[in-house]
Amino acid sequence: MPLSRDDVVRAAVEVIDERGLGGLTLRGLATRLGISAPTLYWHVTDKRHLLDLVAEHVLAQLPARRAPAEGEPLVDWLADGMRVRRAAMLAHRDSALVVAGNRPTEDAMPAIDATVAVLTDAGLSPGEAVRVLTALGSFLLGDVLETQAARDRPVPDNLADPRAHPHLRAAAADMGGDDDRFEDGLALMLDGLRARLAARAATGVAPV
């Protein structure tokens, strides 16, 4: 059976899951597929093109954003979507590095447009809605990047002296894990959005 572009992309995802993004080379991928490097270029123009296709593959595996339930607060709906997407991205090694800088494909536009519609119905302007989604997406990528990077590095033992950095020592005992960090950051962002919408509803000032 002839090799397809999908075969190339799936093999690249497997390499990244096994070895990390740094372990992916076009020559190594061609060897894995049992083809020559020139044959690989029939399917991808260069490594950046390959990574764009891998990012598209990873994002395509994310669950479709559901519509808000009747009476569901906007911030709760956004938070649920963020948690679902974070879990899906953490399932692939270095997914944040692959997805960062990726631009939505035409196939993704209807779902994004529907999400913007939900935010504008809640009281945001279209521009505000896109900025909110962009900010949340940047936070998600940063959190996933930090979580995945932490898996590959040892925990430093630089607080061994109980007299040194007492406030940092107290914080270390109270910080919790990666999920706690994510939930706190998400709450801070969505509390700000909730306050903005509440103030707008109270004053009746139109969005800009």
PDB file of all heavy atoms in Angstrom, residues 139-164:
ATOM      1  N   PHE A 139      -2.183  30.821  28.074  1.00  0.00           N
ATOM      2  CA  PHE A 139      -2.015  30.280  29.429  1.00  0.00           C
ATOM      3  C   PHE A 139      -1.973  28.750  29.390  1.00  0.00           C
ATOM      4  O   PHE A 139      -1.143  28.117  30.061  1.00  0.00           O
ATOM      5  CB  PHE A 139      -3.166  30.752  30.323  1.00  0.00           C
ATOM      6  CG  PHE A 139      -3.258  30.019  31.634  1.00  0.00           C
ATOM      7  CD1 PHE A 139      -2.306  30.190  32.619  1.00  0.00           C
ATOM      8  CD2 PHE A 139      -4.307  29.135  31.871  1.00  0.00           C
ATOM      9  CE1 PHE A 139      -2.382  29.498  33.823  1.00  0.00           C
ATOM     10  CE2 PHE A 139      -4.392  28.442  33.066  1.00  0.00           C
ATOM     11  CZ  PHE A 139      -3.434  28.627  34.044  1.00  0.00           C
ATOM     12  N   LEU A 140      -2.852  28.159  28.591  1.00  0.00           N
ATOM     13  CA  LEU A 140      -2.889  26.700  28.497  1.00  0.00           C
ATOM     14  C   LEU A 140      -1.575  26.153  27.950  1.00  0.00           C
ATOM     15  O   LEU A 140      -1.004  25.201  28.496  1.00  0.00           O
ATOM     16  CB  LEU A 140      -4.052  26.273  27.599  1.00  0.00           C
ATOM     17  CG  LEU A 140      -4.176  24.772  27.313  1.00  0.00           C
ATOM     18  CD1 LEU A 140      -4.388  23.998  28.610  1.00  0.00           C
ATOM     19  CD2 LEU A 140      -5.310  24.510  26.339  1.00  0.00           C
ATOM     20  N   LEU A 141      -1.068  26.769  26.884  1.00  0.00           N
ATOM     21  CA  LEU A 141       0.192  26.307  26.314  1.00  0.00           C
ATOM     22  C   LEU A 141       1.338  26.438  27.320  1.00  0.00           C
ATOM     23  O   LEU A 141       2.177  25.541  27.441  1.00  0.00           O
ATOM     24  CB  LEU A 141       0.522  27.103  25.054  1.00  0.00           C
ATOM     25  CG  LEU A 141      -0.231  26.725  23.782  1.00  0.00           C
ATOM     26  CD1 LEU A 141       0.140  27.670  22.652  1.00  0.00           C
ATOM     27  CD2 LEU A 141       0.060  25.286  23.382  1.00  0.00           C
ATOM     28  N   GLY A 142       1.374  27.576  28.038  1.00  0.00           N
ATOM     29  CA  GLY A 142       2.427  27.770  29.029  1.00  0.00           C
ATOM     30  C   GLY A 142       2.361  26.753  30.148  1.00  0.00           C
ATOM     31  O   GLY A 142       3.389  26.222  30.593  1.00  0.00           O
ATOM     32  N   ASP A 143       1.150  26.453  30.607  1.00  0.00           N
ATOM     33  CA  ASP A 143       1.003  25.477  31.684  1.00  0.00           C
ATOM     34  C   ASP A 143       1.410  24.083  31.219  1.00  0.00           C
ATOM     35  O   ASP A 143       2.113  23.361  31.940  1.00  0.00           O
ATOM     36  CB  ASP A 143      -0.449  25.456  32.178  1.00  0.00           C
ATOM     37  CG  ASP A 143      -0.673  24.410  33.249  1.00  0.00           C
ATOM     38  OD1 ASP A 143      -0.407  24.701  34.428  1.00  0.00           O
ATOM     39  OD2 ASP A 143      -1.081  23.278  32.898  1.00  0.00           O
ATOM     40  N   VAL A 144       0.966  23.701  30.019  1.00  0.00           N
ATOM     41  CA  VAL A 144       1.334  22.375  29.499  1.00  0.00           C
ATOM     42  C   VAL A 144       2.839  22.285  29.290  1.00  0.00           C
ATOM     43  O   VAL A 144       3.465  21.267  29.614  1.00  0.00           O
ATOM     44  CB  VAL A 144       0.581  22.089  28.181  1.00  0.00           C
ATOM     45  CG1 VAL A 144       1.110  20.811  27.523  1.00  0.00           C
ATOM     46  CG2 VAL A 144      -0.920  21.946  28.452  1.00  0.00           C
ATOM     47  N   LEU A 145       3.443  23.363  28.772  1.00  0.00           N
ATOM     48  CA  LEU A 145       4.891  23.378  28.585  1.00  0.00           C
ATOM     49  C   LEU A 145       5.625  23.187  29.906  1.00  0.00           C
ATOM     50  O   LEU A 145       6.559  22.384  30.012  1.00  0.00           O
ATOM     51  CB  LEU A 145       5.307  24.702  27.943  1.00  0.00           C
ATOM     52  CG  LEU A 145       6.803  24.918  27.727  1.00  0.00           C
ATOM     53  CD1 LEU A 145       7.363  23.882  26.771  1.00  0.00           C
ATOM     54  CD2 LEU A 145       7.058  26.325  27.197  1.00  0.00           C
ATOM     55  N   GLU A 146       5.197  23.908  30.944  1.00  0.00           N
ATOM     56  CA  GLU A 146       5.836  23.795  32.258  1.00  0.00           C
ATOM     57  C   GLU A 146       5.638  22.401  32.844  1.00  0.00           C
ATOM     58  O   GLU A 146       6.568  21.806  33.404  1.00  0.00           O
ATOM     59  CB  GLU A 146       5.254  24.849  33.200  1.00  0.00           C
ATOM     60  CG  GLU A 146       5.816  24.829  34.603  1.00  0.00           C
ATOM     61  CD  GLU A 146       7.290  25.220  34.659  1.00  0.00           C
ATOM     62  OE1 GLU A 146       7.752  25.919  33.736  1.00  0.00           O
ATOM     63  OE2 GLU A 146       7.969  24.819  35.620  1.00  0.00           O
ATOM     64  N   THR A 147       4.439  21.867  32.711  1.00  0.00           N
ATOM     65  CA  THR A 147       4.156  20.540  33.252  1.00  0.00           C
ATOM     66  C   THR A 147       5.000  19.474  32.568  1.00  0.00           C
ATOM     67  O   THR A 147       5.575  18.591  33.222  1.00  0.00           O
ATOM     68  CB  THR A 147       2.664  20.211  33.091  1.00  0.00           C
ATOM     69  OG1 THR A 147       1.880  21.198  33.781  1.00  0.00           O
ATOM     70  CG2 THR A 147       2.332  18.839  33.653  1.00  0.00           C
ATOM     71  N   GLN A 148       5.100  19.549  31.239  1.00  0.00           N
ATOM     72  CA  GLN A 148       5.869  18.550  30.510  1.00  0.00           C
ATOM     73  C   GLN A 148       7.366  18.701  30.752  1.00  0.00           C
ATOM     74  O   GLN A 148       8.084  17.704  30.851  1.00  0.00           O
ATOM     75  CB  GLN A 148       5.543  18.649  29.019  1.00  0.00           C
ATOM     76  CG  GLN A 148       4.111  18.216  28.711  1.00  0.00           C
ATOM     77  CD  GLN A 148       3.757  18.341  27.243  1.00  0.00           C
ATOM     78  OE1 GLN A 148       4.253  19.220  26.539  1.00  0.00           O
ATOM     79  NE2 GLN A 148       2.884  17.464  26.768  1.00  0.00           N
ATOM     80  N   ALA A 149       7.835  19.946  30.864  1.00  0.00           N
ATOM     81  CA  ALA A 149       9.258  20.158  31.119  1.00  0.00           C
ATOM     82  C   ALA A 149       9.651  19.630  32.499  1.00  0.00           C
ATOM     83  O   ALA A 149      10.756  19.103  32.684  1.00  0.00           O
ATOM     84  CB  ALA A 149       9.596  21.642  31.006  1.00  0.00           C
ATOM     85  N   ALA A 150       8.745  19.776  33.468  1.00  0.00           N
ATOM     86  CA  ALA A 150       9.049  19.334  34.827  1.00  0.00           C
ATOM     87  C   ALA A 150       9.228  17.821  34.911  1.00  0.00           C
ATOM     88  O   ALA A 150       9.936  17.315  35.782  1.00  0.00           O
ATOM     89  CB  ALA A 150       7.939  19.780  35.778  1.00  0.00           C
ATOM     90  N   ARG A 151       8.605  17.094  33.985  1.00  0.00           N
ATOM     91  CA  ARG A 151       8.727  15.636  33.997  1.00  0.00           C
ATOM     92  C   ARG A 151      10.148  15.184  33.658  1.00  0.00           C
ATOM     93  O   ARG A 151      10.551  14.072  34.015  1.00  0.00           O
ATOM     94  CB  ARG A 151       7.746  15.022  32.983  1.00  0.00           C
ATOM     95  CG  ARG A 151       6.279  15.224  33.331  1.00  0.00           C
ATOM     96  CD  ARG A 151       5.397  14.750  32.193  1.00  0.00           C
ATOM     97  NE  ARG A 151       3.970  14.837  32.523  1.00  0.00           N
ATOM     98  CZ  ARG A 151       2.985  14.614  31.654  1.00  0.00           C
ATOM     99  NH1 ARG A 151       3.286  14.263  30.417  1.00  0.00           N
ATOM    100  NH2 ARG A 151       1.731  14.726  32.021  1.00  0.00           N
ATOM    101  N   ASP A 152      10.885  16.041  32.966  1.00  0.00           N
ATOM    102  CA  ASP A 152      12.207  15.658  32.477  1.00  0.00           C
ATOM    103  C   ASP A 152      13.350  16.254  33.287  1.00  0.00           C
ATOM    104  O   ASP A 152      14.509  16.188  32.870  1.00  0.00           O
ATOM    105  CB  ASP A 152      12.355  16.085  31.009  1.00  0.00           C
ATOM    106  CG  ASP A 152      11.364  15.386  30.096  1.00  0.00           C
ATOM    107  OD1 ASP A 152      11.046  14.215  30.378  1.00  0.00           O
ATOM    108  OD2 ASP A 152      10.910  16.006  29.122  1.00  0.00           O
ATOM    109  N   ARG A 153      13.052  16.862  34.419  1.00  0.00           N
ATOM    110  CA  ARG A 153      14.140  17.444  35.210  1.00  0.00           C
ATOM    111  C   ARG A 153      13.988  17.035  36.666  1.00  0.00           C
ATOM    112  O   ARG A 153      12.868  16.886  37.170  1.00  0.00           O
ATOM    113  CB  ARG A 153      14.135  18.968  35.081  1.00  0.00           C
ATOM    114  CG  ARG A 153      12.932  19.650  35.700  1.00  0.00           C
ATOM    115  CD  ARG A 153      13.016  21.170  35.564  1.00  0.00           C
ATOM    116  NE  ARG A 153      11.834  21.782  36.161  1.00  0.00           N
ATOM    117  CZ  ARG A 153      11.069  22.673  35.543  1.00  0.00           C
ATOM    118  NH1 ARG A 153      11.330  23.031  34.311  1.00  0.00           N
ATOM    119  NH2 ARG A 153      10.025  23.204  36.156  1.00  0.00           N
ATOM    120  N   PRO A 154      15.100  16.854  37.369  1.00  0.00           N
ATOM    121  CA  PRO A 154      15.024  16.481  38.783  1.00  0.00           C
ATOM    122  C   PRO A 154      14.569  17.652  39.635  1.00  0.00           C
ATOM    123  O   PRO A 154      14.721  18.822  39.252  1.00  0.00           O
ATOM    124  CB  PRO A 154      16.476  16.091  39.115  1.00  0.00           C
ATOM    125  CG  PRO A 154      17.298  16.890  38.156  1.00  0.00           C
ATOM    126  CD  PRO A 154      16.487  16.969  36.893  1.00  0.00           C
ATOM    127  N   VAL A 155      14.002  17.338  40.771  1.00  0.00           N
ATOM    128  CA  VAL A 155      13.587  18.379  41.704  1.00  0.00           C
ATOM    129  C   VAL A 155      14.820  18.921  42.414  1.00  0.00           C
ATOM    130  O   VAL A 155      15.568  18.155  43.019  1.00  0.00           O
ATOM    131  CB  VAL A 155      12.591  17.819  42.741  1.00  0.00           C
ATOM    132  CG1 VAL A 155      12.217  18.909  43.747  1.00  0.00           C
ATOM    133  CG2 VAL A 155      11.358  17.275  42.048  1.00  0.00           C
ATOM    134  N   PRO A 156      15.096  20.226  42.332  1.00  0.00           N
ATOM    135  CA  PRO A 156      16.306  20.766  42.962  1.00  0.00           C
ATOM    136  C   PRO A 156      16.208  20.724  44.484  1.00  0.00           C
ATOM    137  O   PRO A 156      15.128  20.912  45.060  1.00  0.00           O
ATOM    138  CB  PRO A 156      16.356  22.215  42.455  1.00  0.00           C
ATOM    139  CG  PRO A 156      14.933  22.553  42.146  1.00  0.00           C
ATOM    140  CD  PRO A 156      14.297  21.279  41.668  1.00  0.00           C
ATOM    141  N   ASP A 157      17.331  20.471  45.107  1.00  0.00           N
ATOM    142  CA  ASP A 157      17.369  20.442  46.571  1.00  0.00           C
ATOM    143  C   ASP A 157      18.146  21.663  47.058  1.00  0.00           C
ATOM    144  O   ASP A 157      19.193  21.552  47.689  1.00  0.00           O
ATOM    145  CB  ASP A 157      18.027  19.147  47.051  1.00  0.00           C
ATOM    146  CG  ASP A 157      17.929  18.996  48.572  1.00  0.00           C
ATOM    147  OD1 ASP A 157      17.047  19.643  49.168  1.00  0.00           O
ATOM    148  OD2 ASP A 157      18.753  18.263  49.136  1.00  0.00           O
ATOM    149  N   ASN A 158      17.618  22.871  46.737  1.00  0.00           N
ATOM    150  CA  ASN A 158      18.337  24.089  47.102  1.00  0.00           C
ATOM    151  C   ASN A 158      17.740  24.767  48.330  1.00  0.00           C
ATOM    152  O   ASN A 158      18.045  25.911  48.618  1.00  0.00           O
ATOM    153  CB  ASN A 158      18.377  25.067  45.923  1.00  0.00           C
ATOM    154  CG  ASN A 158      16.979  25.369  45.383  1.00  0.00           C
ATOM    155  OD1 ASN A 158      15.988  24.904  45.924  1.00  0.00           O
ATOM    156  ND2 ASN A 158      16.929  26.121  44.304  1.00  0.00           N
ATOM    157  N   LEU A 159      16.856  24.043  49.018  1.00  0.00           N
ATOM    158  CA  LEU A 159      16.274  24.599  50.238  1.00  0.00           C
ATOM    159  C   LEU A 159      16.651  23.729  51.439  1.00  0.00           C
ATOM    160  O   LEU A 159      15.899  23.605  52.399  1.00  0.00           O
ATOM    161  CB  LEU A 159      14.750  24.686  50.109  1.00  0.00           C
ATOM    162  CG  LEU A 159      14.232  25.630  49.012  1.00  0.00           C
ATOM    163  CD1 LEU A 159      12.711  25.558  48.949  1.00  0.00           C
ATOM    164  CD2 LEU A 159      14.679  27.063  49.256  1.00  0.00           C
ATOM    165  N   ALA A 160      17.826  23.109  51.342  1.00  0.00           N
ATOM    166  CA  ALA A 160      18.219  22.175  52.388  1.00  0.00           C
ATOM    167  C   ALA A 160      18.449  22.876  53.722  1.00  0.00           C
ATOM    168  O   ALA A 160      18.183  22.308  54.789  1.00  0.00           O
ATOM    169  CB  ALA A 160      19.482  21.423  51.962  1.00  0.00           C
ATOM    170  N   ASP A 161      18.970  24.099  53.696  1.00  0.00           N
ATOM    171  CA  ASP A 161      19.229  24.831  54.926  1.00  0.00           C
ATOM    172  C   ASP A 161      17.911  25.402  55.457  1.00  0.00           C
ATOM    173  O   ASP A 161      17.306  26.263  54.829  1.00  0.00           O
ATOM    174  CB  ASP A 161      20.215  25.966  54.648  1.00  0.00           C
ATOM    175  CG  ASP A 161      20.605  26.715  55.928  1.00  0.00           C
ATOM    176  OD1 ASP A 161      19.999  26.446  56.992  1.00  0.00           O
ATOM    177  OD2 ASP A 161      21.496  27.574  55.845  1.00  0.00           O
ATOM    178  N   PRO A 162      17.441  24.914  56.608  1.00  0.00           N
ATOM    179  CA  PRO A 162      16.135  25.374  57.125  1.00  0.00           C
ATOM    180  C   PRO A 162      16.130  26.861  57.461  1.00  0.00           C
ATOM    181  O   PRO A 162      15.060  27.455  57.598  1.00  0.00           O
ATOM    182  CB  PRO A 162      15.927  24.512  58.371  1.00  0.00           C
ATOM    183  CG  PRO A 162      17.288  24.082  58.775  1.00  0.00           C
ATOM    184  CD  PRO A 162      18.069  23.940  57.507  1.00  0.00           C
ATOM    185  N   ARG A 163      17.309  27.489  57.582  1.00  0.00           N
ATOM    186  CA  ARG A 163      17.347  28.917  57.900  1.00  0.00           C
ATOM    187  C   ARG A 163      17.299  29.788  56.652  1.00  0.00           C
ATOM    188  O   ARG A 163      17.072  30.994  56.744  1.00  0.00           O
ATOM    189  CB  ARG A 163      18.631  29.232  58.681  1.00  0.00           C
ATOM    190  CG  ARG A 163      18.735  28.505  60.017  1.00  0.00           C
ATOM    191  CD  ARG A 163      20.150  28.594  60.563  1.00  0.00           C
ATOM    192  NE  ARG A 163      21.108  27.943  59.649  1.00  0.00           N
ATOM    193  CZ  ARG A 163      22.424  27.913  59.851  1.00  0.00           C
ATOM    194  NH1 ARG A 163      22.949  28.507  60.891  1.00  0.00           N
ATOM    195  NH2 ARG A 163      23.210  27.296  58.988  1.00  0.00           N
ATOM    196  N   ALA A 164      17.526  29.172  55.499  1.00  0.00           N
ATOM    197  CA  ALA A 164      17.570  29.941  54.254  1.00  0.00           C
ATOM    198  C   ALA A 164      16.187  30.020  53.615  1.00  0.00           C
ATOM    199  O   ALA A 164      15.440  29.046  53.596  1.00  0.00           O
ATOM    200  CB  ALA A 164      18.554  29.297  53.279  1.00  0.00           C
TER     201      ALA A 164
END
